[in-house]
Amino acid sequence: MGFITPEPPDFDVQEWRSRPYLQRLRPLARHWAENGFGTPGAVYVLYVVKIVGYVLGGVAITAATPGLGTVGDIASWWTEPIVYQKIVVWTLLFEVLGLGCGSGPLTLRFMPPVCAFLHFLRPGTVRLPAWPGKVPLTRGTRRTAVDVALYAAVIGSAVWLLCSPGTAGPVPRENAVGLIEPVRLIPLVLSLALLGLRDKTVFLAARGEHYGLTLLVFFFPFIDMIVGLKLVMLALWWGAATSKLNHHFPFVVAIMISNSPLQRIAWIKRKLYRNFPDDLRPSKLPAFLAHTGTVIEYVVPVVLLLSHGGITTTAALALMVVFHLHIMSTFPMGVPLEWNVFFIYSAVFLFGHHAAIGVGSVESPLLAALLLVCVVAVPALGNIKPHLVSFLPSMRYYAGNWATSTWCFRKGSEQKLNTHITKAAGMAKDQLVALYGDELADLMLHKGMVWRSMHTHGRALNGLLPRAVDDTEAYDLRDGEYVAGGVLGWNFGEGHLHNEQLLEAVQERCGFEEGELRVIVLESQPLHRQHQHYRIMDAATGRIEEGYVDVKDMIVRQPWLDEDSPSIPVRPAGSAVRPAGTPVVTAHE
């Protein structure tokens, strides 16, 4: 692993570039299994510095609260409830500026490594309204002065809260500073909600399903607030655990550990796969680790919720701290690093310091109703009807069961994204070429496609390629995350940000001709089904085909071209499997 330059695979790049696309994936998949993305060491240093900046920034800003004390006195005031409130606001601000999840080179951001706030503050950039056909005054995909003003209001109201003093209230005697006055929360809650209706990208970037909900819990009295915050954390852990009850997660574990900069022993990485280098399906080892992680996320949070201090609580807290540190050590490609730091602090503050406050202490039926909707009904809907709800409110974290897409640009046509679309930064390809030249940039873009292909959904997308285009070599293939990151200014594995809605916005600006741009969209797997819905669209003519792929067919495929079965079997709902090359549903039907 180089410090500045990515670690390239050891093969003849010119010979490799002469191969067909799906054959080019094979040596890169083998390289990923042993080396991960080949990320330069400087990138990991950048992320560590960013984590330190997040922690120190939060401490310094919070310490400025009147009555708390200096940074050097943190041991005497870190348990103040207002500290937790301000850390939530600070984290929301950190995320909505684009400094947290979806930032830096591991999410295809190089120059600049952070551009979300530049995009969201620039009129004319692309926005995606949440429900444009149902919510008045939200239609359109062009960012206006109204959107910029709302985004500025979110930032300004968050800063105002960070500068707010505490007010006296029913808090424990040892907490002398009090809480943020609830009325001060209203501007941030309203501006974030209104902005989210006009641009769901910003709402997701702010991690509204977590921090936005937490802001609402702050409106309740102290005891109810603490119980509500505990239940939110429990729901996040349980939602993540439930989402991992699938065939996809062992693939995720193998891929994450292969990419971990702390795991450098090649033979251990090879053991993650059934028969390296020929069979890159996960072995029993990542499957065991996946099941172990799921059990931890189910059991330990319940222990924290029901125990009231002592050695049991301490042991459970220690296990969850190690659990989240392990996730951070793998540097997941969406880089939810600060989010995991926040989990650690939340666990210690809520379940450690406030262990004595149990679920039976809650008195507000309104709080119960709020949580029932946000952490039970919405995730349930999102897991049963995944096309209706983002994977974030659905709490399908790390599960490998995400909506995805592959964008197929006829060679030369991708340049239209630069010519016709207002953006805060160039597309990732342009940034990579400026840094490393065309050859290495092409290699790194393929490495990103290999990361997708190592997952179950990527194997399905590769199997759908022959149904989308007649000649794969006539197209430049890009992951939907690549497109969303450049066109929307932010991406975090949310396939609903690069489905038909984004395609329509892109086509409105670029006017691709028929056959110039084809997009394959694969929806998440419903919790109660063993198939996933796919659609194939042409930018100019609309939907070409749709159907289902069975999970059992996805998990047996390799990340590269399968000579015996290059196309994956597909079927429309309620029918027998159709062989490759058979149309399912066309736009004319």
Side-chain angles (χ1 to χ4, degrees):
M1 178 173 64
F3 188 71
I4 300 296
T5 304
E7 179 179 348
D10 185 18
F11 54 66
D12 185 328
V13 176
Q14 289 301 320
E15 187 278 332
W16 168 81
R17 296 182 81 178
S18 68
R19 301 180 187 180
Y21 170 74
L22 290 173
Q23 292 183 15
R24 293 199 296 272
L25 297 181
R26 186 165 192 153
L28 289 178
R30 291 171 169 175
H31 187 265
W32 180 285
E34 289 190 297
N35 302 278
F37 196 73
T39 305
V43 170
Y44 293 118
V45 172
L46 171 66
Y47 281 113
V48 171
V49 169
K50 189 164 68 74
I51 294 171
V52 172
Y54 162 75
V55 173
L56 294 182
V59 170
I61 290 171
T62 305
T65 303
L68 269 189
T70 65
V71 172
D73 299 324
I74 187 173
S76 66
W77 54 257
W78 74 271
T79 58
E80 289 276 351
I82 196 172
V83 173
Y84 188 81
Q85 290 184 307
K86 290 201 171 186
I87 292 299
V88 168
V89 176
W90 163 244
T91 309
L92 185 153
L93 178 62
F94 198 86
E95 295 288 357
V96 82
L97 289 172
L99 297 169
C101 301
S103 65
L106 289 180
T107 57
L108 297 178
R109 284 182 179 78
F110 305 94
M111 296 187 305
V114 175
C115 72
F117 70 94
L118 298 173
H119 187 95
F120 300 150
L121 286 171
R122 183 171 184 175
T125 53
V126 178
R127 66 177 180 90
L128 296 181
W131 299 287
K134 298 179 180 179
V135 180
L137 305 179
T138 64
R139 288 182 181 274
T141 60
R142 194 172 304 276
R143 193 173 312 279
T144 68
V146 172
D147 303 293
V148 173
L150 284 171
Y151 183 68
V154 169
I155 296 173
S157 55
V159 172
W160 183 52
L161 283 174
L162 291 175
C163 298
S164 298
T167 54
V171 295
R173 292 181 179 179
E174 65 270 20
N175 302 126
V177 180
L179 297 166
I180 295 176
E181 189 175 1
V183 69
R184 289 176 173 263
L185 299 166
I186 294 175
L188 179 55
V189 171
L190 287 181
S191 58
L192 181 60
L194 292 174
L195 180 58
L197 291 173
R198 288 186 58 84
D199 189 359
K200 61 185 179 183
T201 308
V202 183
F203 182 83
L204 295 174
R207 301 303 305 274
E209 91 288 350
H210 183 181
Y211 305 123
L213 173 58
T214 302
L215 290 177
L216 296 179
V217 175
F218 287 163
F219 282 95
F220 292 89
F222 176 74
I223 297 296
D224 284 359
M225 181 186 80
I226 295 297
V227 175
L229 294 173
K230 286 186 176 185
L231 292 175
V232 169
M233 292 298 297
L234 176 71
L236 293 169
W237 278 316
W238 271 22
T242 302
S243 70
K244 293 168 184 171
L245 300 175
N246 59 45
H247 295 291
H248 311 282
F249 190 48
F251 289 78
V252 175
V253 172
I255 296 163
M256 287 175 64
I257 296 178
S258 287
N259 193 46
S260 173
L262 301 183
Q263 177 51 266
R264 308 299 299 171
I265 304 175
W267 70 265
I268 292 180
K269 291 187 175 183
R270 296 186 194 114
K271 290 293 184 181
L272 296 169
Y273 303 94
R274 292 191 184 185
N275 184 25
F276 178 88
D278 298 317
D279 187 350
L280 295 188
R281 291 174 295 171
S283 66
K284 293 181 179 179
L285 176 58
F288 170 76
L289 295 174
H291 297 321
T292 300
T294 302
V295 170
I296 289 173
E297 282 191 301
Y298 268 132
V299 175
V300 179
V302 176
V303 173
L304 288 173
L305 188 69
L306 300 181
S307 62
H308 300 291
I311 187 64
T312 302
T313 299
T314 301
L317 282 173
L319 186 54
M320 292 314 295
V321 168
V322 171
F323 179 82
H324 286 285
L325 287 175
H326 166 70
I327 294 174
M328 294 173 63
S329 74
T330 66
F331 287 83
M333 295 296 281
V335 290
L337 304 175
E338 293 79 14
W339 190 50
N340 279 278
V341 173
F342 179 80
F343 263 77
I344 292 172
Y345 171 62
S346 293
V348 175
F349 175 80
L350 295 172
F351 299 98
H353 183 71
H354 291 293
I357 301 178
V359 179
S361 304
V362 70
E363 296 181 353
S364 172
L366 182 59
L367 175 62
L370 173 68
L371 295 179
L372 186 64
V373 170
C374 295
V375 304
V376 178
V378 171
L381 177 63
N383 281 280
I384 295 173
K385 300 283 188 181
H387 64 286
L388 296 178
V389 185
S390 159
F391 86 98
L392 292 172
S394 301
M395 299 184 182
R396 262 194 325 276
Y397 310 117
Y398 301 111
N401 181 23
W402 312 299
T404 55
S405 70
T406 295
W407 291 53
C408 311
F409 294 90
R410 189 173 292 279
K411 290 189 180 298
S413 66
E414 184 182 353
Q415 184 58 33
K416 290 185 177 182
L417 299 181
N418 288 329
T419 304
H420 301 291
I421 297 180
T422 301
K423 305 186 299 298
M427 299 299 292
K429 176 185 177 181
D430 304 316
Q431 298 178 39
L432 281 169
V433 169
L435 283 171
Y436 301 119
D438 181 68
E439 186 174 281
L440 189 52
D442 187 39
L443 196 64
M444 290 299 99
L445 289 174
H446 274 77
K447 204 67 181 292
M449 296 299 289
V450 161
W451 172 82
R452 179 66 72 194
S453 299
M454 296 282 281
H455 292 83
T456 53
H457 45 256
R459 300 173 194 226
L461 289 169
N462 288 343
L464 290 168
L465 273 174
R467 309 186 72 87
V469 296
D470 295 329
D471 180 11
T472 306
E473 301 315 300
Y475 289 83
D476 290 318
L477 306 182
R478 303 289 183 241
D479 191 85
E481 291 292 295
Y482 166 97
V483 179
V487 175
L488 299 178
W490 184 85
N491 60 293
F492 184 54
E494 175 47 79
H496 294 171
L497 294 181
H498 41 85
N499 58 13
E500 290 92 334
Q501 188 180 17
L502 181 61
L503 179 60
E504 290 173 5
V506 167
Q507 178 65 5
E508 178 186 344
R509 291 158 173 80
C510 298
F512 288 98
E513 297 179 7
E514 183 176 358
E516 268 196 313
L517 172 58
R518 295 281 173 87
V519 178
I520 310 169
V521 173
L522 184 67
E523 189 50 77
S524 306
Q525 177 192 347
L527 185 64
H528 60 306
R529 304 292 186 193
Q530 289 300 312
H531 60 232
Q532 295 183 226
H533 183 220
Y534 78 89
R535 289 97 67 198
I536 299 175
M537 283 85 63
D538 185 281
T541 62
R543 185 169 300 184
I544 298 173
E545 175 179 312
E546 68 176 342
Y548 295 94
V549 292
D550 289 330
V551 174
K552 64 180 177 61
D553 294 321
M554 298 163 62
I555 62 178
V556 298
R557 297 179 66 86
Q558 297 299 328
W560 51 76
L561 174 66
D562 188 336
E563 300 288 353
D564 297 325
S565 180
S567 296
I568 192 169
V570 301
R571 61 182 175 83
S575 79
V577 175
R578 297 197 179 195
T582 306
V584 181
V585 178
T586 70
H588 305 293
E589 296 176 330

